[in-house]
Amino acid sequence: MPEEKVHQGKISEPLSKGEKIEPFEEDELIFGNATRKKFSPMWRQVWAATGCILATISAGMTSGYSATLLPQLQANDSEIVITHDESTWIASMAALPMAAGCLMAGYMIELFGRRMSHLILCVPFVVGWVMIGMARTIVWILIGRFLTGLCVGLLGPVGAVFIGETSGPKYRGILLAAISLAIAVGILIAHIIGTFLNWKVTAIICAIFPLLCYIVVFFVPESPSWLLSKGDVSKATDAFFWLRGYDEEAIAELKSLMKKYQKSDNQKTTWRETFEKIRQPTFWKPLVILLVFFFTLQFSGVNTVAFYSVTIMKDTLGDGINEYLAMIILDIVRTIMSVLACVLLRVAGKRPLSIVSAFGTAISIFGLSGFLLLAPPNSSSLAWIPLVCLVSYICFVSIGLMPIPWCLTGEVFPLSVRGIGSGISSAFNFFTFFVVVQTGPYMFRSFTTPITFAIYGSVAFFGGIFLVFFLPETRNKTLQEIEETYMRRKDKSQP
């Protein structure tokens, strides 16, 4: 079947075989033809994803910040004195608005677009960190934590959807996995600088990353898919070729997108039509899978370990190993494994990695629970055993449970309801995030540390069984092909 010519941002008459497509002159994007010639489509897709990744580093800092903030505030020479209950609220306050932020983002990315939503959320993100850095009372810390947590929630759907729509099948998996890597890097940076610097200086450094995000995103185009959904074919085509180049694969994908939305150009979707769309298997099946996936991720205890790293290291390892050193070791392992996950996603795919990750996480945390339950008193010489279990736990959780649900959030929902689907799934993730972080200390005190870890391990194990039966593979598929996967499965009983 012959391809079609691209002229001034539009596809027109068929192309003869082997005929090349030259960049059109009108409606140039910010960088123009010079950038097209100098940088390959891969680097332009990486540039588009970089802004989101920078903001996500700050999101990781939001998670890791309390681990070093709380010990400094609880020190005898702290200028702000806090109680135990106040320390719990400082840790969980960032998680409190994340779910609401995700729901807001689901509406925001449809109304303002993916790119503009990034620019909007960066402003309160910077303000929140500056408020923490200049705080004189606990109230300002709580407000700052609330703002940064809200922006982390906003960023969840915005970042995943933007990267998913601006990258091609070849690079989408690794760029979406970079979100998890950015979180690991953010936690590592927050822990390192928080260990050696005052908590106020740490907060100001954290504010730099959303500021850099604003600068980077300012110079990239809007999502072509969103522009097409709004009927702006010329800008959508221009943005698509800036991001993806002019090879046959890119042309074919653009044709598929344009054909899908040609009938709905300039037509507003009513609430009734939206309700009908979310009743379709192409929406609710991936939604169910993501909800279970995010539940498994959070209730495997990964953010409890991140938020209360120093305390958990001290209680788990005893006097055998310095708790701050152990925390940094875990952070470095998490970062290395997140890099490895980006590579493995291109080689192995999301489904096998998710399953291995879930069962490996369960076995590691069961081992930790068993040691803490059976270890003799004063066994500081055996501190390496729980450390090995924790390192193994971080390794397994980082290659699958952490990155893959965020990858799927930007891939599995149809474009017309992608904002709603990503918003609901991300909101659920952060709601469970808040529940886990808020209840973690109480579980450790009430059920003891070994039983709490055993509960987390059980969730990972049963979550792995669910993924075995219901998680599909999306590697090397276009967004349209992923949507069609659920359409073909509509008559089957499994989601």
Side-chain angles (χ1 to χ4, degrees):
M1 180 178 178
E3 298 288 353
E4 297 176 329
K5 285 185 179 178
V6 178
H7 178 63
Q8 295 184 357
K10 299 179 181 179
I11 297 179
S12 56
E13 58 187 281
L15 279 169
S16 60
K17 187 174 182 180
E19 185 177 351
K20 294 183 179 180
I21 301 173
E22 297 297 334
F24 41 87
E25 296 179 357
E26 296 185 6
D27 294 326
E28 288 300 326
L29 292 168
I30 294 171
F31 291 133
N33 280 335
T35 300
R36 287 196 178 98
K37 294 176 181 177
K38 187 174 181 180
F39 298 105
S40 68
M42 181 195 74
W43 288 113
R44 280 179 254 140
Q45 291 171 49
V46 170
W47 175 262
T50 297
C52 169
I53 291 170
L54 286 168
T56 307
I57 290 175
S58 191
M61 290 175 159
T62 303
S63 296
Y65 183 65
S66 62
T68 53
L69 167 67
L70 296 180
Q72 291 188 39
L73 291 178
Q74 292 167 342
N76 294 329
D77 58 348
S78 173
E79 63 180 271
I80 300 177
V81 180
I82 62 171
T83 66
H84 181 273
D85 288 340
E86 287 173 338
S87 68
T88 302
W89 276 105
I90 289 174
S92 61
M93 182 57 72
L96 179 63
M98 288 181 184
C102 289
L103 295 176
M104 292 169 58
Y107 177 77
M108 189 168 69
I109 60 178
E110 298 300 338
L111 182 63
F112 300 112
R114 287 55 161 148
R115 173 180 174 272
M116 182 56 67
S117 295
H118 269 97
L119 300 179
I120 292 172
L121 71 86
C122 284
V123 177
F125 215 165
V126 173
V127 171
W129 280 118
V130 172
M131 287 183 67
I132 296 173
M134 300 179 67
R136 300 292 182 184
T137 66
I138 187 176
V139 174
W140 287 101
I141 295 177
L142 291 174
I143 295 174
R145 292 283 288 170
F146 184 91
L147 277 178
T148 54
L150 177 66
C151 293
V152 172
L154 291 171
L155 182 63
V158 173
V161 171
F162 185 67
I163 292 178
E165 292 181 355
T166 55
S167 54
K170 187 183 298 184
Y171 307 114
R172 186 184 303 120
I174 192 170
L175 291 177
L176 285 169
I179 293 177
S180 179
L181 171 60
I183 292 174
V185 170
I187 293 173
L188 173 62
I189 294 174
H191 284 173
I192 290 176
I193 61 179
T195 299
F196 298 103
L197 299 178
N198 180 271
W199 59 271
K200 291 188 173 183
V201 177
T202 302
I204 298 301
I205 294 174
C206 293
I208 296 174
F209 289 88
L211 179 62
L212 292 175
C213 170
Y214 188 98
I215 295 171
V216 171
V217 172
F218 187 84
F219 292 103
V220 298
E222 181 55 87
S223 158
S225 298
W226 182 80
L227 291 170
L228 274 178
S229 71
K230 300 302 177 182
D232 199 338
V233 178
S234 179
K235 287 185 178 179
T237 309
D238 203 2
F240 186 91
F241 285 123
W242 188 91
L243 290 161
R244 302 288 298 281
Y246 300 87
D247 58 39
E248 293 183 2
E249 183 180 344
I251 294 290
E253 185 174 346
L254 179 59
K255 285 171 58 182
S256 176
L257 280 172
M258 293 183 70
K259 184 177 180 180
K260 179 177 180 180
Y261 292 100
Q262 186 176 16
K263 297 179 181 179
S264 59
D265 276 354
N266 301 319
Q267 293 181 4
K268 292 185 177 180
T269 303
T270 65
W271 285 104
R272 183 181 181 85
E273 290 172 336
T274 300
F275 180 72
E276 289 298 321
K277 289 177 181 177
I278 65 176
R279 293 178 58 192
Q280 298 299 314
T282 52
F283 177 83
W284 66 260
K285 287 184 177 181
L287 178 64
V288 169
I289 292 172
L290 274 176
L291 294 183
V292 175
F293 210 148
F294 276 126
F295 182 89
T296 303
L297 164 64
Q298 294 300 339
F299 279 92
S300 65
V302 63
N303 282 303
T304 303
V305 174
F307 269 59
Y308 302 104
S309 295
V310 175
T311 304
I312 290 175
M313 293 303 103
K314 187 173 182 179
D315 293 343
T316 304
L317 305 180
D319 297 326
I321 299 177
N322 179 273
E323 62 268 22
Y324 284 92
L325 174 61
M327 177 184 67
I328 299 299
I329 290 173
L330 291 186
D331 291 339
I332 293 173
V333 170
R334 181 189 289 111
T335 304
I336 293 173
M337 295 308 297
S338 296
V339 174
L340 180 61
C342 295
V343 177
L344 291 176
L345 278 171
R346 292 205 63 183
V347 178
K350 300 180 182 66
R351 175 179 163 79
L353 274 181
S354 299
I355 295 170
V356 170
S357 174
F359 288 120
T361 297
I363 293 171
S364 300
I365 207 164
F366 280 145
L368 176 61
S369 175
F371 173 84
L372 295 176
L373 194 63
L374 302 174
N378 302 320
S379 56
S380 58
S381 61
L382 300 177
W384 61 272
I385 296 178
L387 181 59
V388 168
C389 291
L390 281 168
V391 169
S392 174
Y393 167 74
I394 292 298
C395 287
F396 280 110
V397 82
S398 298
I399 63 171
L401 291 182
M402 280 287 288
I404 292 175
W406 289 111
C407 294
L408 297 175
T409 299
E411 291 181 327
V412 295
F413 295 109
L415 174 60
S416 57
V417 286
R418 190 166 293 150
I420 298 173
S422 61
I424 293 174
S425 56
S426 301
F428 179 80
N429 170 69
F430 286 121
F431 172 74
T432 54
F433 184 157
F434 171 75
V435 171
V436 169
V437 172
Q438 181 69 12
T439 60
Y442 297 101
M443 290 180 66
F444 285 122
R445 289 202 305 269
S446 302
F447 301 139
T448 72
T449 301
I451 300 302
T452 299
F453 280 132
I455 293 172
Y456 291 156
S458 298
V459 173
F461 179 79
F462 287 108
I465 293 176
F466 176 88
L467 296 177
V468 168
F469 288 100
F470 299 117
L471 183 66
E473 181 57 75
T474 62
R475 185 166 66 106
N476 293 332
K477 293 183 179 179
T478 67
L479 298 180
Q480 182 66 21
E481 289 171 342
I482 294 171
E483 181 177 343
E484 290 171 354
T485 297
Y486 290 101
M487 293 175 66
R488 290 193 298 267
R489 290 155 58 96
K490 68 183 294 184
D491 296 326
K492 297 182 179 181
S493 59
Q494 64 190 59

